[in-house]
Amino acid sequence: MYGIRFKSATVAIGTVLALAAGTAKAEVEIEYWQYFFDARVSAMEQLIENFEAANPDIKVTMTHFPYADYRTKVAAAIPAGEGPDVVQLFYGWLNDYVAANLIQPLPNDAFPPDMIGEEFFPMVGAMRDGDNYWALPTAVRSLALFYNKRLFEEAGIDGPPKTLDELVETAKKLTKTDAAGNITQVGITAGMNAQDHHWFREVLVRQFGGDPYQDDYKTVNYNSDAGVMAAEFYVGLANEHKVTAFGFMDEPQAAFKAGRAGMHIDGSFRIGSLNKTRGLSWGVTELPMNADGMKSNYSSYWVNAITTKAEGEKYDAAVKFMQYVTSDEAMQIWLDVVGELPAKPSVGLTEANANDDVFGPFIRGLAYANTTKFANESAQRQILIDMVQRIDLEGQSAADSIAAAAEAEQKLLDEYYN
């Protein structure tokens, strides 16, 4: 009798185990894509680890590509039913991604538009179309002036400049040349191939009394006296004041990281890599104001979106992942690792962050920042690179070069919007 009971119990236990195995929730795997930037990759690895720990039934695989190849890879993969379920894209690419059917709107139940409008910085509203948001950022960016503390001390400079005039005078004290007159250390870096094209458009043109664009960035407006004065000031750093050289060490950020530049204008995303640069003692301050005390800045951001590839359980997992990477916790991690500013005031404007020696200048800069709506950032940047080269290398007047740049950019904008 006992044997029969033992056998029945064994069968019952086996049945329960089989049923449990059959009904256990299978792991869902989703892919996340972003372009390669070492600090961004490190931050996302940490976010994925945290998310998977809280969601053991979801696995997130990250893939990254060089920036130059990124858009091409995304555009080819998603229509083929491959690639990411959640993708990172520059805010200026949104219209292209929507038109190409690469992404789908965020569900209102998980991302209520009114709640997003209340919780995020206002600039995020550009991601809304009607009753839906298409994408959301983890972080936003602004610009600031980095400076080399050791070089400042060697030159007997007490602190960073507060005005454009002080910027020039400070840069003169920091510049070094060899016996032949060649610059061996620049007072300030220069190069439209980095962040200077943003400094020119949204900061210098405005500080010289102009407005870089009109009609919601569909009409070029820097072909003006203000644009000419901004170009003359910028190129004059090299040609008149001799405190910099275009192409010095190829990339402006490379010169600063190597300790061969006293000052450097860059985005908050540069903090992470500078922190890893051995032997570099640096500080950061808000961008210099003009003689009248006017401040200006540039702000941009990258967003995350759910692709049209994500369906069914992958879509549900992608929504959960999107909710986490846009959470307060994720934004603080991104700030600590990458240096990009939280997209929510609840994180960015905490007393600790707003008054931080490093993050504070960038966060304060958001209060007076403007966001350029690019049709094609790379092409629009190249137009300003060409503008500077015509003045610097060919001797063309600033007025003529600005006019040519404005004409070329307006043609690009017209083609894009039409």
Side-chain angles (χ1 to χ4, degrees):
M1 185 174 184
Y2 289 106
I4 296 174
R5 289 181 178 178
F6 180 80
K7 183 177 180 181
S8 299
T10 303
V11 171
I13 292 173
T15 302
V16 170
L17 291 175
L19 289 172
T23 58
K25 193 170 183 180
E27 183 180 78
V28 179
E29 182 173 348
I30 60 173
E31 291 190 51
Y32 176 80
W33 281 20
Q34 67 170 335
Y35 79 89
F36 178 78
F37 186 80
D38 54 356
R40 283 171 160 265
V41 171
S42 297
M44 186 52 66
E45 287 174 342
Q46 186 171 339
L47 295 187
I48 290 174
E49 181 180 354
N50 292 350
F51 176 78
E52 290 180 341
N55 299 272
D57 57 322
I58 302 175
K59 177 178 176 57
V60 182
T61 301
M62 176 173 57
T63 301
H64 47 75
F65 300 95
Y67 181 83
D69 301 330
Y70 184 66
R71 292 190 71 179
T72 303
K73 295 285 188 181
V74 171
I78 296 174
E82 301 174 349
D85 300 287
V86 179
V87 65
Q88 190 180 84
L89 61 140
F90 190 60
Y91 78 98
W93 302 344
L94 181 70
N95 291 339
D96 291 343
Y97 274 58
V98 172
N101 197 34
L102 298 178
I103 60 176
Q104 54 186 309
L106 302 178
N108 282 348
D109 57 344
F111 301 93
D114 290 343
M115 183 190 73
I116 293 172
E118 293 174 0
E119 294 185 355
F120 284 75
F121 280 114
M123 66 187 70
V124 175
M127 298 297 99
R128 181 174 180 173
D129 182 19
D131 295 330
N132 294 94
Y133 276 82
W134 285 88
L136 284 174
T138 299
V140 294
R141 301 169 166 182
S142 65
L143 301 177
L145 180 71
F146 291 90
Y147 60 96
N148 186 308
K149 290 183 176 181
R150 180 181 63 81
L151 299 184
F152 266 59
E153 183 178 353
E154 288 179 358
I157 304 171
D158 294 332
K162 295 182 179 180
T163 68
L164 292 175
D165 289 340
E166 290 178 5
L167 178 75
V168 173
E169 296 307 311
T170 301
K172 289 179 180 178
K173 297 176 182 178
L174 293 164
T175 304
K176 294 181 180 180
T177 58
D178 59 19
N182 300 310
I183 292 182
T184 58
Q185 176 179 297
V186 295
I188 183 171
T189 61
M192 291 289 185
N193 58 322
Q195 300 301 306
D196 284 4
H197 70 112
H198 300 308
W199 184 40
F200 174 81
R201 283 190 184 89
E202 297 292 6
V203 182
L204 293 179
V205 171
R206 295 182 186 277
Q207 289 180 325
F208 280 97
D211 191 342
Y213 300 89
Q214 292 180 334
D215 304 324
D216 197 28
Y217 288 87
K218 295 178 182 178
T219 302
V220 177
N221 195 50
Y222 56 72
N223 184 15
S224 61
D225 290 343
V228 171
M229 288 188 288
E232 288 176 340
F233 172 83
Y234 181 74
V235 180
L237 293 172
N239 293 350
E240 178 184 352
H241 301 296
K242 311 294 185 183
V243 297
T244 193
F246 298 111
F248 184 76
M249 291 190 67
D250 295 329
E251 294 184 335
Q253 62 268 25
F256 187 76
K257 291 175 73 172
R260 295 181 58 187
M263 294 179 289
H264 171 59
I265 290 175
D266 212 333
S268 43
F269 53 84
R270 194 67 61 190
I271 294 172
S273 61
L274 291 180
N275 280 334
K276 296 180 181 179
T277 305
R278 292 185 178 181
L280 182 65
S281 176
W282 58 274
V284 64
T285 188
E286 292 177 67
L287 294 180
M289 63 186 78
N290 67 6
D292 296 325
M294 177 192 175
K295 296 181 178 181
S296 189
N297 207 311
Y298 163 75
S299 179
S300 68
Y301 49 96
W302 284 73
V303 294
N304 293 301
I306 299 174
T307 72
T308 49
K309 174 206 169 193
E311 298 178 345
E313 60 183 7
K314 287 183 178 289
Y315 174 81
D316 294 337
V319 170
K320 286 186 178 181
F321 187 61
M322 277 287 301
Q323 289 177 312
Y324 177 66
V325 297
T326 55
S327 68
D328 287 25
E329 177 184 308
M331 291 182 186
Q332 185 64 51
I333 291 172
W334 203 267
L335 173 65
D336 294 338
V337 177
V338 185
E340 292 183 330
L341 316 176
K344 293 180 179 179
S346 59
V347 187
L349 297 183
T350 63
E351 183 176 355
N353 287 338
N355 296 320
D356 187 270
D357 289 341
V358 174
F359 301 134
F362 295 100
I363 293 173
R364 294 192 293 273
L366 289 173
Y368 47 84
N370 293 280
T371 300
T372 309
K373 293 184 179 180
F374 288 104
N376 184 327
E377 185 189 9
S378 297
Q380 289 172 265
R381 178 176 61 239
Q382 185 61 49
I383 287 170
L384 292 190
I385 291 174
D386 295 341
M387 178 198 75
V388 170
Q389 289 181 339
R390 287 193 298 268
I391 301 171
D392 180 47
L393 301 178
E394 301 173 19
Q396 190 176 51
S397 70
D400 289 344
S401 192
I402 277 281
E407 181 180 0
E409 187 166 359
Q410 189 60 60
K411 180 180 178 183
L412 183 153
L413 294 176
D414 290 342
E415 292 175 351
Y416 177 79
Y417 288 109
N418 291 335

